[in-house]
Amino acid sequence: GLAPAAKRILQDIQKGDTFACAFGSVSPPNPLSGAWSDARTRGARVHSNSWGGGGNAYGTDAQAIDDFMWRNQDFLIVFAAGNSGSSPGSLGAYSNAKNSVTVGGVVNGSGYENMYGSSSRGPAGDGRTLPDLTTPAQGVESALNNKSAASCGWATYSGTSMATPA
């Protein structure tokens, strides 16, 4: 893998109803710092977030990210840029934080120099150049959560949620 000696802490922020499970709705903690404090206390130093939303503006959520990272400078928060398409300024609100890393997506394989078509792009709401970095977001293989099978296997997905953990 990318980090063979790494250890993982998994945090579930998905709502528990049938609609949420079918469509992937999330319910971030309020305040956001609760999840990061928990992960940091348990030994994590990188927190990967493949969820987002909101408009392209530096608001209270981005401020919360910056505040937590300023107070915990041994901790890195990483956010997916979003999948709002190729228009300039299509980033989500969480991606506007200044102290975190925003990850956009590129085409996987031989087209790696090209942005993935659905990847959100900067500039940030205040004009800063984002995303901070890009990794493959198209046709990325991932573990498959198949509760009905003895072996879960693999699936291929696309989006900045697939790019961010890398």
Side-chain angles (χ1 to χ4, degrees), residues 97-165:
K98 299 173 183 177
N99 295 337
S100 63
V101 173
T102 297
V103 182
V106 294
V107 174
N108 202 352
S110 62
Y112 69 91
E113 293 181 358
N114 300 310
M115 290 292 287
Y116 169 60
S118 295
S119 180
S120 294
R121 292 156 169 79
D126 61 7
R128 286 174 292 122
T129 300
L130 288 175
D132 296 300
L133 58 95
T134 58
T135 61
Q138 185 177 31
V140 178
E141 293 224 354
S142 180
L144 175 64
N145 181 7
N146 184 351
K147 295 177 185 176
S148 63
S151 175
C152 292
W154 298 93
T156 302
Y157 297 107
S158 296
T160 60
S161 291
M162 300 305 294
T164 301

Side-chain angles (χ1 to χ4, degrees), residues 53-138:
N56 185 23
Y58 185 81
T60 57
D61 289 328
Q63 290 172 347
I65 294 165
D66 288 340
D67 180 62
F68 188 87
M69 286 191 57
W70 180 254
R71 289 183 290 108
N72 299 279
Q73 294 188 15
D74 62 344
F75 194 82
L76 175 64
I77 299 172
V78 183
F79 263 97
N83 300 311
S84 294
S86 60
S87 297
S90 56
L91 296 167
Y94 302 101
S95 301
N96 272 259
K98 299 173 183 177
N99 295 337
S100 63
V101 173
T102 297
V103 182
V106 294
V107 174
N108 202 352
S110 62
Y112 69 91
E113 293 181 358
N114 300 310
M115 290 292 287
Y116 169 60
S118 295
S119 180
S120 294
R121 292 156 169 79
D126 61 7
R128 286 174 292 122
T129 300
L130 288 175
D132 296 300
L133 58 95
T134 58
T135 61
Q138 185 177 31

